[in-house]
Amino acid sequence: MENLHDHTHGCTHCSCNNPVLEILKEEIFSAENLTKINPGSGKPSHEKPQALMISGGIIRPMIDGSTDTVEAIGIADGNVVITGKKNEVKDHMNKHYPGYTSRELTSRQALLPGLIEPHVHMVPKAMMQGWLDVSPFDGQNLRSVYDLSFVGSKINEHIPEIPGYFILGRGLDPSLMPFEVLNDKNELITINNTVLDDINADVPIMLLSASMHTLYLNTKALTYVYDHSPEVKRNYSSADDYIKKTKGQLQEGLQMTPALKVVKLQIIAMSLQINSYLTHLFQTANKRGVTFMYDAGLNKGSKILLKAYFDTHQERVRTGGAYLCSGQKEVDDLDHYTEPSQYKPVYYGHIKVVSDGSNQGLTGYQSAPYLCDPVNNTGVFNFPQAGIPAHTIPPSYNTLINTVVAVKGWPLMVHANGDQAVTFAINAYQRTLAQYRGPELRNRIEHCSLLTSEQITNMLQMGVSPSFLIGHVGYWGYAFKKVIFGGKAQMLDLCGSTLAAGMRISLHSDNEVSPLGPLRMMEQSITRIMEKNTSTIEVLNSNECLTPEQALVAVTYDAAWQCYADNWVGSLKKNHFADFVILDQDPLSMKTQTSQYMKMRDIPVLETWVGGIAVYNKADDEKVEIGKGATVSENS
């Protein structure tokens, strides 16, 4: 196995950008397709925001990040107008908003600011909603059985009715399947064309990994791609040569592009339903208490599509995001940064740069090889430079970061998973911020999976904050500890240490890498239970467990701050948006036993409100589901 510093690798899972979106963006976001996707014009009619007073229950407005409770809250014209004692709120509402509606919560119910997803990928998630779901998730839980037999049954139950159509699947995750034992050692299962042939050799199969950076093809699909792709024919002498050399594992854009182009028309046809898929995504978010989503990789086309969507659909969630830059030219073309002063749908808050891959995908860039196969694999770094030794930061990477921050003045989000990638990100920030002269920026490291105490100190001194994909602990922690990292897994998602040092953190899902759900993310940060281990409750590094109060701040107040949204959302401060959620139980009042917190993700979301308008009501939703006779799958 070659060192992956040069970005040539043969591992079977990877996570960087979404190659489907990148490869097909010109076709998907063409003027013709945008017309098909977004027929009509004008803003849909909305119900008028209510003047409303809510009291009783447990109300935590999270003002200034405090979890203290108040007796009542007053809402009018879509904003919070007052919080405090019940009689004071009542007097204020009577004086300024006569005729307001009064609402009393039960003693058990809790009202919180709307929950925040500070790192998601909205358009890629929606665009691929029509692909067959072969992921390990059932809602927010790992499936009780997730193996090749499960994947095979899903595939064979959904054979395309149109002859020649590929089975397009998404979410395949070998790292969450049962381990293989090879030479008395646990290994992640390897998926190749022969494995998929055993599932179905007669229909072409193309499955995208959960990280969206590896395509798995059976032999039928490989043969079809070879026969219909001039690019593949130029690089391989025959179909047999193509099959033998790739083994049905197509890595990165170089290998994936030709295969995706062959099924381009099928992908585009499925993408034309993206409006309904976006609606489903936002409805799922509302059902899980989410009122704000920050896209961690917008391009110009996806922003145009989202803005057009909100021109013709109800705004169920507030949205912002980071503009994805993959090269120096894109960075050179940036305008100078201006911090958003007022909310507009799909505003830009950051620039996003992706430096490496996925740890569970064995492509996060590491200082030492992964413990599992392939041997000598240290992952992938996306900014290699000829003649630069491994573990030496490439000057081109420094130049890119410096241009974004010091020259253009933009806040930056750097995707860095492996410990070497995190080291590179911190070093690049140090050099850049030494030259930066301007207002304080809310720079971030995304995932920031593997940290040391020294790195935490360096980040604190620079004002760089982490956003943790906490599912690394809850969903993948067992695989990291038993197969991928061993003892190094103790360095994963050091939430407790970063807070103890005085940093502000957030928790994210990276949807669709893991399911939407801030309550679930809170739970995983509080318990750090490794959920794949079903034989016993095992905690990964209990010293890093958050308190419930810290976890709630991370999915509300501090998440809003990281996303430059704290003037509008994240707390129910006066003049902030009336974006809130009513839960059937207060997550901070649950019993303190670890086992009890495993139920936090299951707290019913009763209502979700955006701008003083109810966008989700559990009682109404259940009536609709009963009427349909079945519920819609929500593996988001």
Side-chain angles (χ1 to χ4, degrees):
M1 179 75 185
E2 297 177 83
N3 189 288
L4 302 186
H5 186 75
D6 60 3
H7 212 163
T8 60
H9 56 94
C11 50
T12 60
H13 337 287
C14 184
S15 176
C16 303
N17 304 327
N18 180 346
V20 180
L21 188 64
E22 188 67 22
I23 291 163
L24 300 177
K25 65 182 179 182
E26 296 301 326
E27 289 85 355
I28 289 174
F29 299 127
S30 69
E32 179 184 2
N33 281 340
L34 285 175
T35 300
K36 295 177 183 177
I37 291 171
N38 289 289
S41 62
K43 200 77 174 175
S45 59
H46 288 286
E47 61 182 285
K48 186 177 179 180
Q50 296 185 36
L52 178 66
M53 172 182 161
I54 303 177
S55 58
I58 301 169
I59 302 175
R60 301 186 190 276
M62 302 300 293
I63 297 171
D64 298 326
S66 170
T67 60
D68 291 347
T69 61
V70 297
E71 293 180 0
I73 182 171
I75 294 161
D77 300 320
N79 295 327
V80 177
V81 294
I82 187 172
T83 62
K85 292 186 177 298
K86 184 175 180 178
N87 60 342
E88 294 173 351
V89 173
K90 185 176 181 179
D91 289 345
H92 183 89
M93 297 300 288
N94 282 332
K95 179 177 180 180
H96 297 283
Y97 307 99
Y100 68 90
T101 300
S102 185
R103 170 93 176 270
E104 186 81 10
L105 302 179
T106 70
S107 61
R108 175 185 173 91
Q109 293 171 347
L111 187 152
L112 306 173
L115 307 180
I116 294 174
E117 281 276 5
H119 181 133
V120 294
H121 299 277
M122 292 178 279
V123 172
K125 167 66 179 178
M127 189 181 76
M128 301 187 65
Q129 189 65 34
W131 294 40
L132 183 63
D133 179 10
V134 293
S135 76
F137 300 109
D138 180 8
Q140 298 183 74
N141 299 315
L142 291 175
R143 297 185 187 278
S144 57
V145 176
Y146 183 66
D147 53 20
L148 288 173
S149 295
F150 167 81
V151 173
S153 64
K154 290 278 285 189
I155 287 172
N156 288 317
E157 289 170 5
H158 296 84
I159 303 299
E161 296 180 1
I162 302 174
Y165 257 45
F166 276 52
I167 294 174
L168 297 180
R170 59 180 171 85
L172 186 66
D173 197 336
S175 66
L176 287 175
M177 291 183 178
F179 306 140
E180 291 183 308
V181 179
L182 301 174
N183 300 318
D184 297 322
K185 178 184 173 185
N186 284 334
E187 295 284 356
L188 301 185
I189 192 167
T190 296
I191 296 177
N192 55 33
N193 62 304
T194 58
V195 170
L196 295 182
D197 288 345
D198 289 340
I199 290 174
N200 193 313
D202 300 322
V203 179
I205 299 172
M206 182 184 292
L207 307 179
L208 187 64
S209 65
S211 63
M212 301 189 191
H213 240 258
T214 301
L215 280 174
Y216 301 94
L217 281 70
N218 67 352
T219 302
K220 183 88 170 182
L222 289 168
T223 302
Y224 188 94
V225 169
Y226 180 85
D227 290 341
H228 292 80
S229 173
E231 295 172 73
V232 172
K233 287 185 177 180
R234 284 196 298 268
N235 289 286
Y236 298 91
S237 60
S238 65
D240 287 342
D241 183 46
Y242 182 50
I243 294 166
K244 180 179 179 181
K245 289 180 177 176
T246 66
K247 298 182 176 62
Q249 303 167 355
L250 305 186
Q251 305 285 336
E252 305 290 339
L254 186 64
Q255 289 187 334
M256 295 171 65
T257 299
L260 289 168
K261 284 184 176 179
V262 165
V263 294
K264 178 178 69 175
L265 293 179
Q266 184 177 342
I267 294 173
I268 291 173
M270 297 166 71
S271 299
L272 295 181
Q273 301 180 53
I274 195 168
N275 271 353
S276 63
Y277 295 148
L278 281 170
T279 297
H280 179 257
L281 172 65
F282 297 144
Q283 288 174 335
T284 300
N286 292 157
K287 290 179 183 180
R288 295 180 187 165
V290 175
T291 60
F292 181 91
M293 300 172 78
Y294 200 68
D295 194 296
L298 290 170
N299 60 30
K300 291 179 181 177
S302 58
K303 182 175 182 178
I304 290 171
L305 190 148
L306 284 169
K307 289 186 73 174
Y309 174 88
F310 288 120
D311 282 342
T312 55
H313 294 75
Q314 181 181 10
E315 189 178 18
R316 292 179 168 273
V317 296
R318 313 282 182 186
T319 52
Y323 180 62
L324 178 65
C325 290
S326 56
Q328 188 64 40
K329 185 180 185 307
E330 290 174 289
V331 171
D332 289 338
D333 291 341
L334 291 172
D335 294 328
H336 284 270
Y337 179 70
T338 301
E339 182 176 332
S341 58
Q342 59 183 3
Y343 172 74
K344 294 180 181 178
V346 209
Y347 70 91
Y348 281 139
H350 290 80
I351 296 300
K352 170 77 175 297
V353 171
V354 181
S355 71
D356 70 336
S358 155
N359 290 336
Q360 68 268 28
L362 310 185
T363 51
Y365 192 46
Q366 310 295 344
S367 59
Y370 291 92
L371 296 184
C372 53
D373 285 339
V375 297
N376 298 322
N377 170 27
T378 56
V380 55
F381 190 69
N382 288 336
F383 296 91
Q385 198 163 337
I388 302 299
H391 306 329
T392 301
I393 188 168
S396 61
Y397 181 62
N398 271 330
T399 301
L400 187 87
I401 302 303
N402 186 72
T403 307
V404 172
V405 178
V407 178
K408 301 291 186 175
W410 276 83
L412 180 63
M413 295 166 57
V414 178
H415 165 123
N417 260 315
D419 65 334
Q420 190 63 56
V422 172
T423 297
F424 281 179
I426 290 173
N427 290 346
Y429 270 130
Q430 286 176 320
R431 297 181 187 186
T432 295
L433 291 172
Q435 305 174 50
Y436 174 72
R437 301 293 181 268
E440 183 177 346
L441 300 176
R442 301 174 192 180
N443 295 313
R444 298 165 49 170
I445 297 181
E446 303 307 293
H447 315 323
C448 206
S449 306
L450 299 165
L451 276 173
T452 65
S453 58
E454 182 182 359
Q455 289 173 329
I456 291 172
T457 299
N458 289 337
M459 290 174 65
L460 177 66
Q461 292 172 345
M462 294 186 294
V464 175
S465 63
S467 184
F468 294 114
L469 201 176
I470 193 62
H472 279 149
V473 172
Y475 293 134
W476 290 280
Y478 189 67
F480 283 136
K481 182 176 180 180
K482 297 298 182 181
V483 178
I484 297 173
F485 286 141
K488 190 176 177 180
Q490 294 292 107
M491 298 168 63
L492 277 167
D493 291 0
L494 301 187
C495 300
S497 292
T498 48
L499 284 180
M503 299 174 73
R504 302 175 75 168
I505 71 170
S506 67
L507 309 173
H508 68 258
S509 66
D510 200 9
N511 186 246
E512 74 171 32
V513 174
S514 73
L516 296 174
L519 289 173
R520 181 268 304 171
M521 296 187 296
M522 286 179 61
E523 175 193 307
Q524 289 177 327
S525 71
I526 293 165
T527 69
R528 294 182 68 94
I529 291 173
M530 297 183 288
E531 297 169 35
K532 187 179 177 183
N533 183 8
T534 56
S535 60
T536 185
I537 291 180
E538 187 176 358
V539 175
L540 180 61
N541 195 350
S542 60
N543 292 330
E544 297 302 322
C545 292
L546 297 187
T547 66
E549 290 78 10
Q550 289 172 328
L552 181 58
V553 172
V555 300
T556 55
Y557 189 76
D558 282 352
W561 173 82
Q562 277 193 342
C563 299
Y564 285 93
D566 51 320
N567 287 329
W568 319 305
V569 299
S571 70
L572 295 171
K573 187 177 181 180
K574 182 180 178 180
N575 296 326
H576 279 36
F577 290 138
D579 298 355
F580 61 92
V581 60
I582 298 175
L583 305 177
D584 187 54
Q585 184 178 4
D586 176 29
L588 304 195
S589 300
M590 299 180 75
K591 293 181 180 179
T592 56
Q593 290 89 343
T594 296
S595 60
Q596 290 296 317
Y597 280 112
M598 285 302 291
K599 299 177 183 178
M600 190 174 286
R601 74 189 69 184
D602 297 326
I603 294 176
V605 175
L606 302 180
E607 298 173 33
T608 303
W609 292 64
V610 173
I613 297 171
V615 294
Y616 171 71
N617 184 297
K618 187 176 189 295
D620 292 342
D621 188 60
E622 288 175 343
K623 291 177 184 177
V624 171
E625 290 177 350
I626 292 171
K628 290 180 178 177
T631 60
V632 178
S633 173
E634 294 178 6
N635 297 333
S636 299

